[in-house]
Amino acid sequence: MSVAARISIAITCVIMLAAGLVTIYIAQHSYSTERTRILHETSSRVLAQPQLQLAIYYHDYVSTDRILSEFLSPPAVQYVAVYDTEGARLAERQNIGSAIAELPDFETIREGISPLNDGISQRPVDLAPAAGKTLALLTGGEQILDQTIPVFSAVDPNEPGKMRSDFSTALTAPGAVDSFHLMGYVHLGISRSLILKSVQPFVIQALLVSFLLVILCAILIYFLTRQITTPLSRLALLADAIASGNLEEFTATGGGGEIKKIATTLTAIVGGLSTYKSKMDVDKQLLSMKVDERTSQLSQRNDELSKALAEVTDTKDKLRKLAYFDSLTALPNRRLFTEQLRLLLRLTARNDEMLALLFLDLDNFKRINDSLGHSVGDLLLRAVATRLRSCIRDSDVVAHYITSESRIDVSRLGGDEFTIVLNQVSDADAAGVVAQRVIDAMLVPISIDGHELVVSTSIGITVAPLDGDNIEDLLKGADTAMYHAKSKGGNRFSYYRAEMDAASIERLKMESDLRAAIEREELELHYQPQVDALNGSVIGAEALVRWNHPEQGMIPPFKFVPLAEEMGLIIELGDWVMMEACRQLIEFRQLGLDLPKIAVNVSALQFNATFVERVEDVLRKTGLQASSLELELTEGVVLEHSESVASDLNDLKNLGVSLSIDDFGTGYSSLSYLSRFPLDELKIDRSFVVNFDKSENSANLVIAIIAMGNGMNLKLVAEGVETHEEYRFLVQHGVRIIQGYLFSKPVPAKDLKNLLAPYFFINQINIIKAEAEIEQGASPN
């Protein structure tokens, strides 16, 4: 076979292959176009059938069957069915000649598809329609294309009692497009073989045209290659001769001038190629070395980029934790809590479920924080967070979070406030079960730095959607319920009730009134005298603030002082008490009354960086000698163990102010501060005094405190003394200064004036002594 023939056959085969591919492409494109047209046409018909919404809503099977018949107009559509939103089939209809015996399961064909999107899937079937059996055999069997189209309506299908006019009104209402609701689905089964049959005539025409073009091209190529290959064949012979070095044959070969010129050129090219090859080998070696060098550099750069990427990823994770997690407890913070709770509320509303929010506040955390310091308080908060997490079981929470890190079953909003979110609760009582579990768990002592701490909690509970359907209402209600539980003594939980808002409003009113109480001069001081047990004279008085409310009358400090601390008014309130006490002491002395000193309580929140300056300012403005002012400090102040506290106490001592420890022994005391700080006095709390006769241990504890104070040259004041027995016990063991209802309750300044007479209480003291002597004389030896 000649070269020209071989070339012609090869090119013809390529053209035939190209023609076949073109025909296949045309067939595939025609099938895809027809398939897309049918799918688009059916989708358009669903949108163009507003009557379908009514038929589904009213379950009108006659209208549904009539509407379905319009979807069977394309021959390829084998069947059509209508389903409601739950997947229940409302109606179905099959085309004449359909070989489908049973429709597929609706949930199977919609698996993995969003409820709001069209669904398209393909599945094989055993039988093909009679018109498409041949094509089904040729294409590997029949395939059914299942198309599911959601039906939307501007009217909410979950609202009963809708009229047909409501659908028309909703469709024409402004903004209707933005508020469509899912009514159901239309399911169509489309035969692949019938789609192929519909495009078969066009494909056959394309195949015939391609076949004719191939024949014409083959004839044309054959004649062209004959003209081209003849000179090339001679040139190939010349090239073979040059390659074998047979120059005589080259010389003897005849032919045209161009062929000889090409042959000569080939000889020169062969020589040049040899030289060029040698040069290329050297260049290749140099290039290989350069490639190795660049490869090494790129590898190094790749390692550096990988390291930088890891650092960026690590930094991104750290920034996310800083933004969404509490740095102390590693719990979700308020921002993550708010974002995820908003998502859960939307899911709860959509799925018609219930969600419970538990708002927790530690009952006695502030006292522990003030007594043991902020470092112990931080460790306690971490331990509480760990314990809360352990209280929440997997069965209490159903995950609806984007990532596991986004769980907000336990969150910290700030301070000692925590929240627990329980979604998909069966009823409100389920939240109470979890709340009680948390309360019981919190009562187990927590060991921190050698201290066995017990911190109870008060919990407020709100349930969505019963108590609100947004974050603000749920948090507000839970906070109100929490304060209600706390007002009942704490260590309990309380469900939110609407009537609690009145108590919350009352608290807000008290906060508002308290802010203006100082300006309105509604505050006043009462004084409880401190009596010398030896001569009955008043050697000092403790200033106690009272609030004379214009509507509620006299309000005791235990109701408004904690509120002032929460509101940040305690510094202003404390400064007013100090100023007023010093001013009234000056007034007493101007009247010729003898009151050696006045005692003022100072909380840990008052004792800040500017406290010493404020004390100096009060003394300067009132003209009172510093030695006449005694500051009663809580143990939370001296237990801070900071250099600044020690420095401030020394500065106060240098001013001449007396320093006393109030309610000694009731906090989480460390006795080392008694020697570290320049203290003058210890006040024995009533809780020790009242129990001295209850047990021998209680009496021994009081005796030990008295002995320790006397041993350290500290003055001792027993407060809360009410009975003759308490008085005799304390005086007998070395307490000289007595304060309590035994001598006087806290009285206004005008009533205190009468008690400042010299030896005012001596007669009462003599009576107590006489009773003791009578009891001793009456007792058997």
Side-chain angles (χ1 to χ4, degrees):
M1 186 180 294
S2 65
V3 174
R6 288 197 299 268
I7 293 175
S8 298
I9 292 173
I11 296 176
T12 301
C13 291
V14 170
I15 293 174
M16 290 180 66
L17 178 61
L21 292 175
V22 169
T23 303
I24 293 173
Y25 169 78
I26 291 173
Q28 179 64 35
H29 181 266
S30 300
Y31 168 80
S32 298
T33 301
E34 181 64 15
R35 175 178 175 270
T36 301
R37 185 191 66 79
I38 294 174
L39 293 177
H40 182 267
E41 180 180 334
T42 54
S43 296
S44 299
R45 288 186 177 180
V46 171
L47 294 176
Q49 290 289 343
Q51 298 87 353
L52 185 58
Q53 303 170 16
L54 292 171
I56 295 176
Y57 182 81
Y58 289 105
H59 289 71
D60 187 348
Y61 300 103
V62 175
S63 298
T64 304
D65 185 75
R66 177 181 53 79
I67 294 171
L68 292 184
S69 63
E70 298 180 16
F71 288 90
L72 297 175
S73 58
V77 178
Q78 294 293 286
Y79 59 85
V80 60
V82 174
Y83 298 82
D84 62 16
T85 55
E86 301 299 327
R89 188 184 305 162
L90 303 180
E92 67 172 286
R93 187 161 184 175
Q94 295 194 15
N95 211 334
I96 298 175
S98 173
I100 302 301
E102 183 178 357
L103 271 63
D105 180 66
F106 181 76
E107 292 184 357
T108 302
I109 63 176
R110 289 290 298 181
E111 183 177 1
I113 302 173
S114 170
L116 304 181
N117 294 337
D118 288 6
I120 298 175
S121 61
Q122 190 166 299
R123 58 188 175 84
V125 296
D126 295 328
L127 299 176
K133 284 186 178 181
T134 303
L135 287 175
L137 291 174
L138 294 176
T139 56
E142 173 67 304
Q143 296 278 335
I144 290 295
L145 187 68
D146 291 301
Q147 180 186 15
T148 54
I149 307 167
V151 180
F152 297 98
S153 172
V155 174
D156 189 350
N158 296 318
E159 296 181 5
K162 292 295 182 179
M163 306 297 293
R164 295 178 181 271
S165 59
D166 293 335
F167 284 81
S168 301
T169 303
L171 286 173
T172 57
V177 178
D178 298 327
S179 58
F180 275 7
H181 301 274
L182 181 63
M183 296 288 295
Y185 298 89
V186 174
H187 174 204
L188 299 100
I190 303 171
S191 170
R192 186 185 68 172
S193 60
L194 292 182
I195 296 177
L196 291 174
K197 183 174 180 62
S198 65
V199 300
Q200 182 180 4
F202 178 78
V203 174
I204 292 175
Q205 292 177 5
L207 182 62
L208 293 176
V209 171
S210 298
F211 179 74
L212 293 176
L213 288 175
V214 168
I215 294 174
L216 292 175
C217 289
I219 296 172
L220 180 61
I221 288 169
Y222 177 77
F223 288 102
L224 290 176
T225 52
R226 288 280 298 177
Q227 295 180 3
I228 295 172
T229 56
T230 299
L232 291 178
S233 299
R234 295 175 181 175
L235 186 58
L237 294 175
L238 294 176
D240 291 340
I242 293 172
S244 62
N246 189 359
L247 297 178
E248 291 79 9
E249 183 177 350
F250 167 72
T251 304
T253 299
E258 292 181 356
I259 297 302
K260 289 185 177 181
K261 186 176 181 179
I262 292 174
T264 304
T265 302
L266 286 176
T267 303
I269 288 173
V270 171
L273 286 177
S274 179
T275 303
Y276 182 72
K277 184 176 179 302
S278 299
K279 182 179 179 182
M280 286 295 294
D281 289 340
V282 175
D283 291 343
K284 182 180 179 181
Q285 185 67 24
L286 294 174
L287 181 60
S288 178
M289 295 172 61
K290 196 68 174 177
V291 168
D292 292 341
E293 179 183 357
R294 291 299 184 192
T295 301
S296 176
Q297 293 176 351
L298 289 175
S299 177
Q300 181 180 355
R301 290 286 185 266
N302 187 54
D303 293 340
E304 293 174 354
L305 287 174
S306 299
K307 182 179 180 180
L309 180 60
E311 292 176 353
V312 169
T313 302
D314 184 59
T315 301
K316 182 180 178 181
D317 293 340
K318 291 179 179 178
L319 290 175
R320 171 179 169 77
K321 290 187 178 296
L322 288 174
Y324 287 100
F325 293 89
D326 176 52
S327 59
L328 179 62
T329 62
L331 291 176
N333 60 14
R334 182 180 291 271
R335 180 179 181 183
L336 181 57
F337 165 80
T338 302
E339 292 181 2
Q340 291 298 318
L341 181 56
R342 184 174 290 110
L343 171 63
L344 287 177
L345 287 174
R346 288 200 298 265
L347 292 172
T348 298
R350 188 178 72 180
N351 299 329
D352 195 20
E353 298 167 345
M354 296 177 65
L355 176 146
L357 172 63
L358 281 63
F359 191 95
L360 294 77
D361 186 87
L362 305 184
D363 292 330
N364 51 351
F365 174 75
K366 184 178 183 303
R367 178 171 64 85
I368 295 174
N369 202 41
D370 291 346
S371 301
L372 300 181
H374 296 297
S375 58
V376 173
D378 290 345
L379 293 175
L380 177 61
L381 288 175
R382 290 179 182 173
V384 168
T386 301
R387 186 162 293 182
L388 288 177
R389 276 193 293 253
S390 67
C391 292
I392 306 304
R393 305 169 181 168
D394 291 339
S395 59
D396 296 329
V397 181
V398 179
H400 273 307
Y401 308 104
I402 298 173
T403 64
S404 60
E405 290 185 351
S406 299
R407 290 185 56 163
I408 57 167
D409 42 349
V410 180
S411 304
R412 182 188 178 210
L413 300 188
D416 59 342
E417 295 179 343
F418 298 84
T419 59
I420 296 176
V421 176
L422 308 173
N423 62 328
Q424 294 189 6
V425 293
S426 57
D427 52 45
D429 293 338
V433 173
V434 177
Q436 189 60 50
R437 187 193 309 154
V438 171
I439 291 172
D440 295 340
M442 295 305 297
L443 293 178
V444 179
I446 300 173
S447 180
I448 297 178
D449 285 353
H451 301 284
E452 290 291 328
L453 306 179
V454 177
V455 54
S456 60
T457 182
S458 297
I459 303 176
I461 303 175
T462 50
V463 178
L466 302 179
D467 301 323
D469 57 2
N470 58 73
I471 296 176
E472 292 74 17
D473 290 345
L474 290 178
L475 273 178
K476 178 183 176 183
D479 183 66
T480 300
M482 182 274 294
Y483 276 110
H484 181 77
K486 193 178 288 288
S487 68
K488 297 297 183 181
N491 193 36
R492 66 186 64 208
F493 67 88
S494 177
Y495 287 95
Y496 169 75
R497 299 190 305 274
E499 55 266 25
M500 292 180 181
D501 289 333
S504 178
I505 293 173
E506 180 180 351
R507 173 184 169 89
L508 291 175
K509 186 177 185 304
M510 180 172 285
E511 290 181 1
S512 176
D513 292 345
L514 183 57
R515 292 185 187 276
I518 297 177
E519 298 178 1
R520 297 173 181 170
E521 298 182 354
E522 296 174 1
L523 300 177
E524 59 182 67
L525 293 182
H526 286 197
Y527 299 91
Q528 188 170 39
Q530 298 173 340
V531 180
D532 189 333
L534 296 182
N535 55 33
S537 298
V538 176
I539 56 91
E542 181 179 359
L544 301 169
V545 65
R546 298 290 188 269
W547 182 8
N548 191 0
H549 195 278
E551 298 175 0
Q552 303 181 33
M554 196 65 69
I555 300 177
F558 71 86
K559 285 190 175 182
F560 68 87
V561 170
L563 186 60
E565 291 180 341
E566 292 180 17
M567 297 169 58
L569 295 177
I570 191 64
I571 294 178
E572 183 181 356
L573 178 62
D575 289 350
W576 180 88
V577 171
M578 191 188 310
M579 178 70 75
E580 183 66 11
C582 293
R583 186 194 65 77
Q584 288 189 346
L585 181 54
I586 291 293
E587 183 179 308
F588 291 154
R589 291 179 177 177
Q590 290 173 349
L591 296 173
L593 301 174
D594 183 22
L595 182 60
K597 68 175 182 177
I598 197 76
V600 176
N601 290 287
V602 178
S603 76
L605 297 177
Q606 289 177 255
F607 201 89
N608 55 23
T610 64
F611 181 72
V612 177
E613 296 178 6
R614 300 202 306 275
V615 173
E616 289 181 298
D617 184 60
V618 169
L619 295 174
R620 182 175 60 256
K621 289 180 177 179
T622 60
L624 183 68
Q625 293 180 347
S627 59
S628 299
L629 176 61
E630 180 177 81
L631 300 178
E632 295 187 0
L633 310 173
T634 63
E635 288 183 321
V637 175
V638 295
L639 286 177
E640 192 67 28
H641 293 301
S642 66
E643 294 298 329
S644 62
V645 170
S647 175
D648 290 344
L649 291 178
N650 285 321
D651 290 343
L652 291 171
K653 189 65 179 176
N654 292 334
L655 284 176
V657 175
S658 298
L659 300 176
S660 173
I661 293 298
D662 192 19
D663 300 333
F664 175 74
T666 58
Y668 295 82
S669 305
S670 174
L671 298 180
S672 63
Y673 70 78
L674 294 178
S675 61
R676 292 181 61 244
F677 298 123
L679 304 175
D680 300 290
E681 180 182 277
L682 293 182
K683 296 194 72 175
I684 304 174
D685 187 68
R686 169 166 172 75
S687 61
F688 295 108
V689 175
V690 74
N691 292 319
F692 86 94
D693 58 347
K694 300 295 190 297
S695 68
E696 184 177 352
N697 288 336
S698 298
N700 290 336
L701 178 60
V702 177
I703 295 171
I705 294 175
I706 296 171
M708 179 182 62
N710 289 329
M712 299 184 69
N713 295 321
L714 296 174
K715 297 177 184 178
L716 292 170
V717 177
E719 59 181 345
V721 179
E722 297 183 357
T723 66
H724 293 181
E725 291 79 8
E726 293 170 356
Y727 172 88
R728 289 197 294 267
F729 173 79
L730 292 166
V731 173
Q732 177 185 351
H733 290 92
V735 177
R736 181 174 175 179
I737 304 173
I738 304 297
Q739 176 183 342
Y741 275 64
L742 176 64
F743 293 114
S744 175
K745 65 179 181 179
V747 295
K750 62 183 180 61
D751 296 334
L752 179 66
K753 296 176 183 179
N754 301 326
L755 307 180
L756 299 181
Y759 316 115
F760 182 84
F761 294 101
I762 189 63
N763 292 333
Q764 187 176 352
I765 291 175
N766 290 334
I767 293 173
I768 296 174
K769 290 181 179 179
E771 289 178 354
E773 292 174 357
I774 293 173
E775 290 178 1
Q776 290 178 356
S779 62
N781 293 329

